[in-house]
Amino acid sequence: MQKKWFYRLLFSYVPFFFFIVLVLMMVFYYKWNVETRERIQNTNEVFASHVMNVVDSSFQTIENFVIQQMLTDEWIKDYFSSNEPTSPYTAYEISQRLNNIKTLFPFAGDVYIYKKSNNEVITDNSIFKIDQFADASFVEAAFRGEAGVQWTTPRSYNQFIGEARSDQVLSLVKKVPITSSVPNGVVVINIKLGSLIGMLQSIKANAADSIEMMSSEDKPFKEPGVESDVEPTAWGISTIASSYTGWKLAVKVPKLEQGSLLAVFFGVWTLPMFGAILLSIMFLMYITHRNYKPIEEIMIRIDRYALKRSLSMGKKSEHDEFQFITSALDNLVEKSNQYELRHQEDLSIRKKYWFYELLEGNFSLNQAEWETEAAQLELPQSFHSTLVMIIEIDNYQEFQTKYSSRDQSLFKFVIHGVLQEIAQSQELTVWFEWKEADQLCAILYVKAEQDYPSIEPLAQLIKNWVSTNLKFTISIYVGTNGNDAEEISHSYQDALKAGQFRTLRGYNNVYYATETQSHLQRDIYHQLQSVRSLVKAVRAAEGEWQRIFEELFLSMRTELLPREKVLDIIHYLFFALEKEMEDLPPELARNWVDRLNVEARTTLVATDLIGDIQVGLQDLLGSLVESIQEWQLANEHHNRIDEIKAYLLQNYSNPDLSLNYLSEKFDLPSRVLSKLFKAETGERFVEYLIDIRMTEAKRLLIQTTEPVQSIGEQVGYLQVISFIRTFKKAEGSTPGEYRKQHST
């Protein structure tokens, strides 16, 4: 067979393909070059902003820490408030604290304080009179307020008079006392310029060509004799100004060379491009020839078949290959349709398929198509309404364990037959299949003269027959009415939702969607609050946890929460327990976290009934409380913390209660007391005290008519605003709103 048409077709589009690819690559390269410059510049600006944020954060951390030390350190406060001569021990203690500041921040230099009243300077390693201190002029200027902004630009600094070499530093100046309008001295933190430059260079790495800090007047921060290599107006320079220090950061990227369009065309990259295109064309031709072989073989066979047929007919005629292929395809399609028709005649498979499609809401037939299909499947073609009923074998795990596979199949067949027989006796048409191993789903067709209540005897009869004649029970879930085939899936989903209430009501019951729908949207906020209280009581190993536990499950039963919400509450309980146990000893916490996550949660979630969940969870929490109590009794400070807790319950109305107050009362350092209290109760002292006060406040709001201000004073808040703010944060509403919500 001739192949000229093939080559003509191939070579008609290859040159055009080559031209288009070449032009697109040139345009792409040019566009890429322009956009790359813009993206590099934008990226560089983001990088510069990030670096400036890092520098500002580091310097702000130093400033905040210095302010905190000046405000909280008793030695420093006493030093500035005293008019007595400085004792060596006092100078040593202050020097140690300054040295601690220097140690905490690796790139910090010398740290010293200046006291005006006795004209002396204490550094992190020495004490000087002001006239013997090499940096005296800067200190005095800072005290007079002549140092300018809080962070200075690079300046020369020596500690000792007569030193040959000066360090370049950046200085933070703060007048002390911090809170006084009349300063008594200053504190100076020096940051080595070399440390800042080194930090910037380490951040730079391969992300920038150079990085440089400058003053607000664009004067670079450099060591003496070192020239700047950044031109602020050049391309590739991103300059970011700090709102904190007023300094500027310049980051430079390598400059890209912008070539002409001709240079782009004749660049080195074009040779590989042309080579790749030629290789692509050659590969295209090779693959085309290779893949054409089967087609060529088919065409040769068609020619031979046509020639043979012409000879058998005694005449030679022209043949049409496409007509031959069309005829062959028509025959193939016809054979396939016949096979599909025979396959569709398998009514059992088709019936189950459409059953699942209806339940899942994937039904795709219109009314006319469904009537045809229903006629073949021997199902009602039209109906007044339908509903879905689900029969589920109770405690299916025990059912599987107790009976062999053969017996299980036999029992399922019995349930299948009982449903069919009772439905016929009630004059109901039913279509049912085992959708799950333990669930028999049935679609009931309701006639116009029947109503929903007429379906109830059917469910009760089936349930009673199974419980009377078999050694196991079933639960039945009845969905809502549907008026057409598309609403069957809604009825099925409603039946499944009704089945969630089996967890609360137990086995061997009938659950109607019409009765349970109102409970599905119940809010579980109250139960989640109870879970938080329960977890706190368990963590503190208090006997109160059992009462809260019983009230939690009573609330779930009373409000008829579906299984889905019950499991949500259980999952939240495990999550809160795991979080509260983080501060327990590692060996105790690790053991219980594994049990909670792996063993207990899996077992409880798989449990059907809420009673079994309650028993299992109560045993688990009881064991956990016992473990915590054993750990508490082994703790030498357990009795002391119990005394403190008892004291808080009796004296919560004292507005002066604080860690420092209790520290003096019970002769324990405040930090030690805070740590022991958190480890023993799982709560910080402040949170524990607020819980006690809010509990009493809620009782007074509900049981009395006293004003809110009076109640706030009774629970330890002298300012009513503080009481209202704390109450709203703890309860989500103001005291007045809470009293209205719980008024009888």
Side-chain angles (χ1 to χ4, degrees):
M1 184 177 178
Q2 299 295 326
K3 294 189 284 188
K4 291 182 179 180
W5 64 270
F6 172 75
Y7 290 112
R8 290 174 181 172
L9 179 63
L10 179 63
F11 287 106
S12 64
Y13 64 76
V14 166
F16 183 75
F17 163 77
F18 175 83
F19 175 78
I20 292 297
V21 169
L22 179 60
V23 171
L24 289 177
M25 291 184 69
M26 291 174 59
V27 172
F28 166 77
Y29 179 82
Y30 183 78
K31 185 66 175 177
W32 171 81
N33 191 27
V34 173
E35 292 184 354
T36 298
R37 291 168 60 89
E38 296 177 356
R39 291 176 181 174
I40 289 176
Q41 185 70 42
N42 293 337
T43 303
N44 194 47
E45 290 178 1
V46 173
F47 175 74
S49 177
H50 173 72
V51 174
M52 180 56 80
N53 288 338
V54 171
V55 174
D56 286 352
S57 176
S58 300
F59 279 55
Q60 284 177 333
T61 301
I62 295 174
E63 181 182 358
N64 293 337
F65 185 81
V66 170
I67 293 174
Q68 181 184 3
Q69 288 294 101
M70 296 301 105
L71 290 173
T72 61
D73 193 281
E74 297 298 333
W75 284 95
I76 295 176
K77 291 197 300 186
D78 292 342
Y79 171 71
F80 279 102
S81 62
S82 173
N83 294 322
E84 300 295 328
T86 305
S87 67
Y89 183 68
T90 299
Y92 171 77
E93 286 294 334
I94 294 176
S95 179
Q96 286 297 106
R97 280 152 176 77
L98 298 179
N99 190 58
N100 288 340
I101 297 175
K102 180 178 178 180
T103 304
L104 283 174
F105 303 99
F107 53 86
D110 291 337
V111 183
Y112 60 85
I113 59 177
Y114 164 62
K115 183 177 179 182
K116 177 64 178 177
S117 60
N118 55 10
N119 281 325
E120 67 181 14
V121 176
I122 300 179
T123 70
D124 53 2
N125 54 21
S126 303
I127 182 170
F128 299 88
K129 285 298 182 180
I130 190 63
D131 56 354
Q132 299 172 351
F133 187 54
D135 206 29
S137 60
F138 175 80
V139 174
E140 292 175 339
F143 182 80
R144 295 192 300 269
E146 299 173 1
V149 296
Q150 55 188 356
W151 283 99
T152 68
T153 54
R155 67 183 186 89
S156 297
Y157 164 77
N158 284 329
Q159 185 176 142
F160 299 97
I161 298 175
E163 283 185 314
R165 185 177 181 276
S166 299
D167 292 331
Q168 292 294 310
V169 298
L170 307 162
S171 300
L172 168 66
V173 178
K174 285 291 181 182
K175 294 182 180 181
V176 288
I178 298 295
T179 57
S180 175
S181 60
V182 180
N184 194 21
V186 296
V187 58
V188 178
I189 309 295
N190 293 319
I191 303 298
K192 295 179 181 179
L193 178 60
S195 299
L196 174 61
I197 295 174
M199 181 182 73
L200 293 177
Q201 294 303 316
S202 65
I203 293 176
K204 178 189 74 173
N206 296 325
D209 181 68
S210 64
I211 184 169
E212 187 171 277
M213 189 71 72
M214 300 180 296
S215 66
S216 57
E217 295 81 20
D218 295 334
K219 184 178 179 181
F221 289 5
K222 290 290 186 180
E223 296 287 350
V226 179
E227 296 295 332
S228 173
D229 58 348
V230 174
E231 301 176 12
T233 59
W235 179 89
I237 303 296
S238 295
T239 303
I240 301 297
S242 170
S243 59
Y244 170 62
T245 61
W247 302 339
K248 296 180 180 178
L249 180 70
V251 179
K252 176 183 178 183
V253 298
K255 184 176 181 181
L256 295 177
E257 294 297 331
Q258 177 65 45
S260 64
L261 183 61
L262 191 61
V264 171
F265 183 80
F266 290 102
V268 177
W269 66 277
T270 56
L271 294 178
M273 181 198 71
F274 282 124
I277 293 176
L278 291 175
L279 288 175
S280 299
I281 294 174
M282 293 174 63
F283 183 77
L284 177 64
M285 294 177 63
Y286 169 74
I287 292 298
T288 303
H289 276 286
R290 182 170 181 177
N291 293 337
Y292 179 73
K293 289 295 183 181
I295 299 175
E296 184 180 23
E297 187 67 26
I298 292 174
M299 298 304 294
I300 291 174
R301 292 187 180 183
I302 292 176
D303 285 343
R304 291 177 179 173
Y305 177 80
L307 179 60
K308 182 178 179 181
R309 185 176 181 184
S310 297
L311 293 175
S312 65
M313 295 177 64
K315 62 178 181 178
K316 185 176 181 180
S317 61
E318 295 293 332
H319 69 279
D320 187 351
E321 298 92 349
F322 294 102
Q323 181 63 33
F324 180 85
I325 294 174
T326 301
S327 177
L329 289 176
D330 289 341
N331 291 333
L332 181 62
V333 170
E334 184 178 356
K335 295 285 186 183
S336 177
N337 290 337
Q338 292 175 357
Y339 174 79
E340 184 69 20
L341 182 60
R342 288 195 299 269
H343 178 71
Q344 291 296 331
E345 290 176 354
D346 187 351
L347 297 179
S348 176
I349 296 177
R350 287 166 57 195
K351 197 171 184 178
K352 183 174 293 187
Y353 169 78
W354 287 118
F355 185 83
Y356 290 162
E357 291 292 288
L358 284 168
L359 293 186
E360 298 298 333
N362 299 325
F363 192 71
S364 57
L365 299 182
N366 57 37
Q367 184 62 31
E369 292 172 338
W370 171 242
E371 290 179 359
T372 303
E373 190 73 12
Q376 296 180 2
L377 298 177
E378 298 180 354
L379 294 172
Q381 299 178 22
S382 61
F383 49 86
H384 179 260
S385 63
T386 63
L387 61 83
V388 175
M389 184 173 67
I390 301 175
I391 301 174
E392 183 168 356
I393 299 174
D394 291 331
N395 200 354
Y396 190 67
Q397 291 183 344
E398 180 181 339
F399 177 80
Q400 288 180 304
T401 304
K402 188 175 181 180
Y403 302 107
S404 64
S405 298
R406 184 172 178 274
D407 290 340
Q408 293 176 33
S409 300
L410 178 60
F411 284 131
K412 291 179 181 180
F413 178 77
V414 170
I415 296 174
H416 191 283
V418 168
L419 171 61
Q420 187 173 26
E421 183 177 346
I422 295 179
Q424 289 177 352
S425 66
Q426 298 290 319
E427 298 182 351
L428 289 171
T429 302
V430 60
W431 179 13
F432 46 86
E433 299 284 350
W434 284 95
K435 192 173 186 298
E436 304 290 344
D438 60 340
Q439 287 185 355
L440 176 64
C441 297
I443 301 176
L444 302 177
Y445 293 91
V446 183
K447 299 178 182 179
E449 63 273 12
Q450 296 172 322
D451 54 9
Y452 188 87
S454 67
I455 307 300
E456 296 184 11
L458 173 66
Q460 293 292 342
L461 286 172
I462 297 172
K463 176 186 73 69
N464 294 337
W465 191 96
V466 172
S467 61
T468 302
N469 297 279
L470 301 178
K471 295 182 179 181
F472 58 88
T473 60
I474 60 173
S475 295
I476 300 179
Y477 320 136
V478 182
T480 53
N481 274 341
N483 296 322
D484 53 42
E486 294 182 355
E487 293 185 3
I488 292 177
S489 63
H490 300 304
S491 179
Y492 172 65
Q493 294 298 326
D494 291 339
L496 289 177
K497 292 176 182 177
Q500 294 190 31
F501 292 89
R502 186 179 70 166
T503 299
L504 290 175
R505 296 183 180 177
Y507 298 141
N508 197 28
N509 279 315
V510 180
Y511 300 94
Y512 299 96
T514 54
E515 297 177 359
T516 59
Q517 281 182 333
S518 60
H519 302 287
L520 291 173
Q521 304 300 324
R522 288 290 177 88
D523 188 11
I524 59 174
Y525 177 76
H526 173 69
Q527 285 78 13
L528 294 182
Q529 283 187 319
S530 299
V531 168
R532 287 192 288 270
S533 301
L534 172 62
V535 170
K536 288 182 179 180
V538 170
R539 171 60 183 82
E542 298 175 348
E544 183 74 3
W545 77 268
Q546 293 184 344
R547 180 189 63 79
I548 302 174
F549 181 83
E550 295 293 339
E551 290 179 354
L552 172 62
F553 276 85
L554 178 61
S555 172
M556 289 191 286
R557 288 189 173 95
T558 303
E559 297 188 17
L560 294 177
L561 295 183
R563 176 178 177 82
E564 182 181 23
K565 294 188 181 294
V566 171
L567 294 183
D568 287 342
I569 295 171
I570 299 301
H571 283 302
Y572 179 73
L573 173 61
F574 278 94
F575 169 77
L577 277 174
E578 183 179 350
K579 187 175 181 181
E580 284 291 333
M581 294 173 63
E582 290 178 352
D583 58 344
L584 287 174
E587 62 277 3
L588 177 62
R590 190 182 308 111
N591 178 43
W592 276 100
V593 167
D594 292 341
R595 289 184 61 183
L596 292 174
N597 280 338
V598 179
E599 303 173 12
R601 186 179 302 194
T602 304
T603 302
L604 290 176
V605 168
T607 304
D608 284 338
L609 305 182
I610 193 172
D612 297 335
I613 295 176
Q614 182 176 0
V615 171
L617 188 57
Q618 188 171 20
D619 293 341
L620 178 70
L621 295 181
S623 300
L624 176 57
V625 170
E626 291 177 1
S627 298
I628 296 176
Q629 288 175 341
E630 292 175 0
W631 169 73
Q632 289 177 340
L633 293 175
N635 189 346
E636 59 180 346
H637 297 285
H638 174 68
N639 293 334
R640 180 65 63 87
I641 298 301
D642 278 350
E643 293 177 10
I644 295 173
K645 289 162 62 178
Y647 183 83
L648 292 176
L649 288 173
Q650 296 176 359
N651 299 274
Y652 59 85
S653 60
N654 184 357
D656 295 327
L657 275 179
S658 65
L659 274 177
N660 292 332
Y661 181 91
L662 295 177
S663 174
E664 296 177 1
K665 176 75 177 176
F666 291 92
D667 193 22
L668 279 174
S670 59
R671 290 185 178 179
V672 174
L673 176 59
S674 176
K675 184 176 180 180
L676 291 175
F677 199 90
K678 180 68 167 65
E680 186 77 13
T681 65
E683 292 185 274
R684 295 187 299 114
F685 162 76
V686 174
E687 296 172 348
Y688 191 87
L689 179 59
I690 289 176
D691 285 345
I692 295 176
R693 288 174 168 175
M694 293 303 103
T695 299
E696 178 63 15
K698 288 188 289 185
R699 186 188 70 80
L700 293 173
L701 286 169
I702 295 175
Q703 298 180 3
T704 71
T705 58
E706 296 186 33
V708 171
Q709 182 175 358
S710 175
I711 293 175
E713 293 174 353
Q714 293 181 51
V715 296
Y717 293 93
L718 297 180
Q719 299 295 329
V720 68
I721 297 300
S722 299
F723 171 61
I724 294 174
R725 185 187 302 114
T726 304
F727 191 93
K728 185 172 184 180
K729 184 177 180 181
E731 301 299 326
S733 61
T734 64
E737 293 171 346
Y738 183 86
R739 172 173 276 173
K740 290 180 181 179
Q741 293 171 1
H742 294 81
S743 61
T744 55

